Amino acid sequence: MAIITGETSRAYNDLVEINKTAAKGYQEAAEEASSAELKSQLSKMSQQRAQFASELSQHAQQYGINPEETNTIEGLAADAAAAVHRGWINIKSAITGQDDAAILGECETGDATALSAYETALKSNELPAEARTVIQKQHGEILSAKNWITQQKSTVR
């Protein structure tokens, strides 16, 4: 079994929190979107991020890490930033009259933040191989989602 360091624990904790926050943010975005198709896709992304958080949490527990009980300073900062971001989605939609392009822009920003956190975790030389595989897979799926959002944003005006 791999030696679990504070760096690995922090990576799990931060990614679980980021995905929980993304699930909430995407759900809020889905509720505010005007297009039925966009509502459906954003809702699917919300479910995907909730699944990512669950998968990471279960995986972390295999290494004796309980993300539900551990808060790192970085995790708290990321959660606070994400909470502000979720609030911005609410403010933005109210100001723009539920403008789908603005909502997509906020989702794009949220995914960029998530991708950055994943890339930070992947830079660690201390991640167990199995953890790296899970994190790389999720990173790829978030990148695909962000690319889809960017494409949709350019077609919605």
Side-chain angles (χ1 to χ4, degrees), residues 40-105:
S40 174
Q41 189 61 35
L42 294 174
S43 184
K44 286 178 187 174
M45 289 177 178
S46 172
Q47 293 167 6
Q48 176 192 54
R49 299 312 162 80
Q51 178 59 41
F52 285 176
S54 177
E55 181 180 16
L56 287 167
S57 185
Q58 290 171 6
H59 200 268
Q61 289 174 10
Q62 293 174 2
Y63 293 107
I65 301 166
N66 187 347
E68 304 299 322
E69 294 178 358
T70 309
N71 282 322
T72 62
I73 292 171
E74 293 86 348
L76 291 172
D79 195 41
V84 168
H85 178 70
R86 282 196 316 276
W88 179 243
I89 287 175
N90 292 334
I91 292 167
K92 185 75 134 183
S93 65
I95 292 171
T96 62
Q98 300 181 2
D99 179 273
D100 286 350
I103 290 168
L104 286 166

Side-chain angles (χ1 to χ4, degrees), residues 90-155:
N90 292 334
I91 292 167
K92 185 75 134 183
S93 65
I95 292 171
T96 62
Q98 300 181 2
D99 179 273
D100 286 350
I103 290 168
L104 286 166
E106 292 306 310
C107 292
E108 185 179 42
T109 299
D111 276 349
T113 301
L115 288 169
S116 177
Y118 272 79
E119 289 158 8
T120 297
L122 288 168
K123 288 178 186 173
S124 171
N125 294 324
E126 299 173 4
L127 275 182
E130 189 178 347
R132 184 173 299 281
T133 300
V134 169
I135 292 169
Q136 285 174 329
K137 178 182 174 288
Q138 290 184 0
H139 177 273
E141 291 184 41
I142 293 170
L143 182 58
S144 291
K146 182 180 176 291
N147 290 340
W148 181 86
I149 287 168
T150 300
Q151 178 190 16
Q152 293 303 305
K153 193 176 81 168
S154 70
T155 63

